[in-house]
Amino acid sequence: MRSSIRNTRFLLAAWLAAASMAFGGASFAQSGAKVVKIGAVLPLSGVFADSGKDVKRVYDMYQKEVNASGGIKSLGGAKVEFVYMDAQSKPEVSRAATERLALQKDVSALIGPVYSPLALTMAEVAEKYGIPMVIDAAIENSLTEKGYKYVFRADARSKDFAEATSRYIVEKLKPKNVAFVFADAIAYQSVMTTVKEKLKAANIPVLFEEAYAVNTTNFGPIVQKLARFQPEVVIGGGYDADAILLAKTIAEQNVKLKAFVGQGGGFSTLTFLKAAGKAAEGIAASAAWGVDDKASPESPKFIKSFKAEYGEVPNQMNSAASTAALLLFAAIEKAGSTDRNKIRDALTKVEVWTPQGKISFDEKGQGQKDARIIQVQNGEFVTVWPDALATKKLIYPISK
């Protein structure tokens, strides 16, 4: 493990040195900065806590490795420090935490907050106070459609997940009918609306749809409805606890499905994989990244680093955090400053290899645009669509 960590430090040192040479920037003496503080608003308690802690592991890892590799080169080796605030999985707390960080003049940028309900309030505050914010994993479309100048998103949007899901179902699965079961939350509502429109255009009937309250603790009635209507494919969307309980209830009631396709979120995390166990087998999900992805040279480096630090493979949430952090580090290198406006301007110009590919931000602040389908096979996530990225053959149907 020590050897792997040394290799990771070498890779980060090389990346930071290259970024410094490419971007130039102010000297350490000019900037006067010894520490670059990044405010990280994350759900470290409450319903989204598992994913929040997942993301925090990546930021902790990068803080350690970047600093061990010599810090921010264009700032004379200034150290990176993530300043964490717990959003408690509540939008109003996310707003208050962001405002508290924005009012601290030595906090140069923001990152987070994993899920859309929290990102919507966080983004409003970032824009109000003129502090650059990089969203890691929140997918709600409107976050980069409001004309914000200080808000950037590294990961895919609802419409990208919806496009992947729709094409996968229409082109690959070709079912006779489908049903929708999803959390009654803005991000999933927008995904499902788009998917329904595309399935309607393809003449695929929707037998029923069920929007359940976040934190639902009894999926029995919904699963009984699935057993009664017998849809070939179920399209789901929910957070960790929802996804786990729904998958387990479907397995316990022995409901036969040809496919279950989740929309990222709780259906694509290590928490789901571990807690759902055998009930997760065969479940697919739209995702911005897969651990078996061979398209980006940064991907195997990230996996190696994460495994060395935590002894396990990373998941989609981890990759989103990595992508967001690498883009923000590159912008700080390019800015050669801790000034918020200079970092904001640099974010509009960076292009960086990340686990999710070579990413830059468009004029709306949107980065990653494509999604794929991953499926649980033998206790692991594997990419099954599109065919050009697939590393395993799709299991279909999943029930016999």
Side-chain angles (χ1 to χ4, degrees):
M1 183 178 292
R2 289 181 179 177
S3 174
S4 183
I5 291 174
R6 282 197 297 269
N7 289 339
T8 301
R9 289 176 178 172
F10 172 79
L11 290 168
L12 278 166
W15 179 87
L16 287 166
S20 180
M21 290 175 65
F23 299 146
S27 69
F28 180 63
Q30 288 174 309
S31 70
K34 294 183 180 179
V35 176
V36 181
K37 292 186 177 182
I38 300 169
V41 179
L42 302 174
L44 301 176
S45 60
V47 66
F48 305 143
D50 285 338
S51 292
K53 292 173 183 175
D54 239 6
V55 166
K56 183 177 182 294
R57 294 168 86 188
V58 176
Y59 299 147
D60 286 343
M61 178 184 78
Y62 276 143
Q63 177 174 300
K64 180 194 297 183
E65 298 300 343
V66 168
N67 292 341
S69 301
I72 303 297
K73 298 297 189 294
S74 66
L75 289 173
K79 304 300 183 184
V80 170
E81 179 185 340
F82 285 95
V83 181
Y84 294 107
M85 297 287 286
D86 183 8
Q88 299 176 25
S89 300
K90 299 175 182 177
E92 65 275 16
V93 178
S94 172
R95 182 188 298 277
T98 307
E99 187 160 46
R100 183 175 171 183
L101 287 167
L103 290 170
Q104 296 180 32
K105 293 182 179 180
D106 60 345
V107 174
S108 298
L110 301 169
I111 201 165
V114 184
Y115 283 118
S116 297
L118 310 178
L120 288 166
T121 56
M122 186 178 177
E124 288 177 359
V125 176
E127 190 69 14
K128 175 183 176 182
Y129 286 93
I131 181 169
M133 168 187 174
V134 180
I135 299 170
D136 41 29
I139 67 173
E140 165 55 28
N141 289 324
S142 67
L143 285 163
T144 49
E145 299 291 335
K146 294 176 179 286
Y148 289 151
K149 301 300 183 185
Y150 287 85
V151 178
F152 300 80
R153 172 167 43 200
D155 208 29
R157 305 157 292 182
S158 294
K159 64 178 69 175
D160 303 311
F161 287 105
E163 178 68 20
T165 298
S166 303
R167 289 188 57 202
Y168 173 66
I169 292 171
V170 172
E171 298 173 14
K172 194 78 172 179
L173 304 187
K174 303 176 182 178
K176 293 179 181 178
N177 53 61
V178 301
F180 289 83
V181 178
F182 57 95
D184 192 8
I186 187 170
Y188 294 115
Q189 290 167 353
S190 60
V191 172
M192 299 307 176
T193 297
T194 302
V195 174
K196 280 184 284 185
E197 291 171 353
K198 292 183 179 294
L199 295 187
K200 182 179 180 180
N203 296 314
I204 297 176
V206 177
L207 296 185
F208 76 91
E209 63 177 275
E210 191 86 28
Y212 61 83
V214 177
N215 276 336
T216 291
T217 57
N218 180 13
F219 281 98
I222 293 177
V223 174
Q224 288 168 16
K225 199 170 182 180
L226 288 175
R228 186 166 70 252
F229 280 87
Q230 296 186 326
E232 288 192 357
V233 174
V234 174
I235 302 164
Y239 304 112
D240 287 353
D242 308 335
I244 294 162
L245 187 55
L246 178 56
K248 284 186 171 182
T249 307
I250 289 172
E252 287 166 0
Q253 296 196 18
N254 198 29
V255 177
K256 303 298 184 182
L257 302 171
K258 285 191 173 181
F260 187 107
V261 187
Q263 306 308 300
F267 292 97
S268 61
T269 68
L270 287 177
T271 300
F272 172 72
L273 203 61
K274 293 176 181 177
K278 290 184 178 180
E281 281 296 316
I283 288 181
S286 53
W289 178 81
V291 71
D292 53 356
D293 194 331
K294 304 295 192 299
S296 169
E298 188 62 35
S299 192
K301 299 176 191 176
F302 168 62
I303 294 168
K304 184 177 182 180
S305 178
F306 194 89
K307 287 178 72 174
E309 189 72 17
Y310 298 112
E312 58 188 16
V313 297
N315 63 15
Q316 183 188 187
M317 288 291 184
N318 301 136
S319 82
S322 172
T323 297
L326 290 175
L327 283 160
L328 185 52
F329 293 156
I332 295 169
E333 280 285 2
K334 184 174 180 64
S337 172
T338 57
D339 180 82
R340 294 175 177 182
N341 287 316
K342 290 181 179 179
I343 294 173
R344 181 264 165 204
D345 290 345
L347 280 165
T348 68
K349 300 170 186 174
V350 294
E351 185 175 51
V352 180
W353 274 109
T354 77
Q356 295 183 354
K358 184 180 281 188
I359 306 296
S360 60
F361 295 111
D362 65 17
E363 67 281 358
K364 294 182 178 180
Q366 179 62 44
Q368 170 77 26
K369 296 178 178 63
D370 296 324
R372 85 272 311 279
I373 302 296
I374 57 176
Q375 185 180 43
V376 180
Q377 295 186 12
N378 297 317
E380 297 180 341
F381 288 118
V382 296
T383 301
V384 294
W385 186 90
D387 293 341
L389 296 177
T391 59
K392 295 287 185 179
K393 187 177 179 180
L394 164 71
I395 296 175
Y396 183 75
I398 59 174
S399 299
K400 297 179 180 179

